[in-house]
Amino acid sequence: QKEVEQDPGPLSVPEGAIVSLNCTYSNSAFQYFMWYRQYSRKGPELLMYTYSSGNKEDGRFTAQVDKSSKYISLFIRDSQPSDSATYLCAMSASTGANNLFFGTGTRLTVIP
Amino acid sequence: EAGVAQSPRYKIIEKRQSVAFWCNPISGHATLYWYQQILGQGPKLLIQFQNNGVVDDSQLPKDRFSAERLKGVDSTLKIQPAKLEDSAVYLCASSLSTVAGELFFGEGSRLTVL
């Protein structure tokens, strides 16, 4: 079983839709949860960072962590064509990035 | 602020040949990472440096891969000899602290091994 599971998609939505991206994990020691956005032929960029359980909101983006279910989500409200990218979840049990586990990424396309 | 610089962006080689990738991290970032991202997969850590010392190279195939970070700034990742399964994007990242997840990635070096 992989440490982190993520539906690879692809996911296509119309502009303005609410998007839900999800990851599940098996290691209950994970405490740090991240979402990275990766545009085509670019490196990943950190989008959201959450410690432990709960919600975090930043503009149109909301990250949600449910440690009891080992499930994390990223919601995008009022999706825009510029949101078209691959979204990678990542998580770690400690502060060292050598323990950072990435999902496979979900490819999102927002259609104008 | 300049980002993480990587070169070359693209490289095509034949199997058993050698290749080297270069990375210049963000100024002042003590921690540098090399990740391998195979098509359709998430990045996988190959090696992590703190200044010019190795923190973790447990997933680096040391029979063919090597990396160094001289003077604690630039870094080079070398593959010799290359195999078909080494075809991937090699991402360099740097961070100011060791807080999990706060990594700044370069655009990557895309390697195709024929």
Side-chain angles (χ1 to χ4, degrees), chain A residues 36 38 41-43 49 95 98, chain B residues 9 37 48 98 100-101 107:
Chain A
Y36 278 82
Q38 186 173 23
R41 299 189 181 273
K42 299 289 187 182
Y49 177 99
T95 56
N98 49 313
Chain B
R9 288 294 314 277
Q37 187 174 24
Q48 177 185 347
T98 54
E107 294 193 325

Side-chain angles (χ1 to χ4, degrees), chain B residues 16-48:
Chain B
R16 292 187 291 274
Q17 287 187 324
S18 63
V19 63
F21 302 113
W22 172 83
C23 172
N24 181 241
I26 292 173
S27 178
H29 282 195
T31 312
L32 184 147
Y33 318 83
W34 283 101
Y35 281 85
Q36 180 192 57
Q37 187 174 24
I38 293 172
L39 186 65
Q41 297 183 21
K44 183 187 84 170
L45 180 69
L46 292 175
I47 189 168
Q48 177 185 347

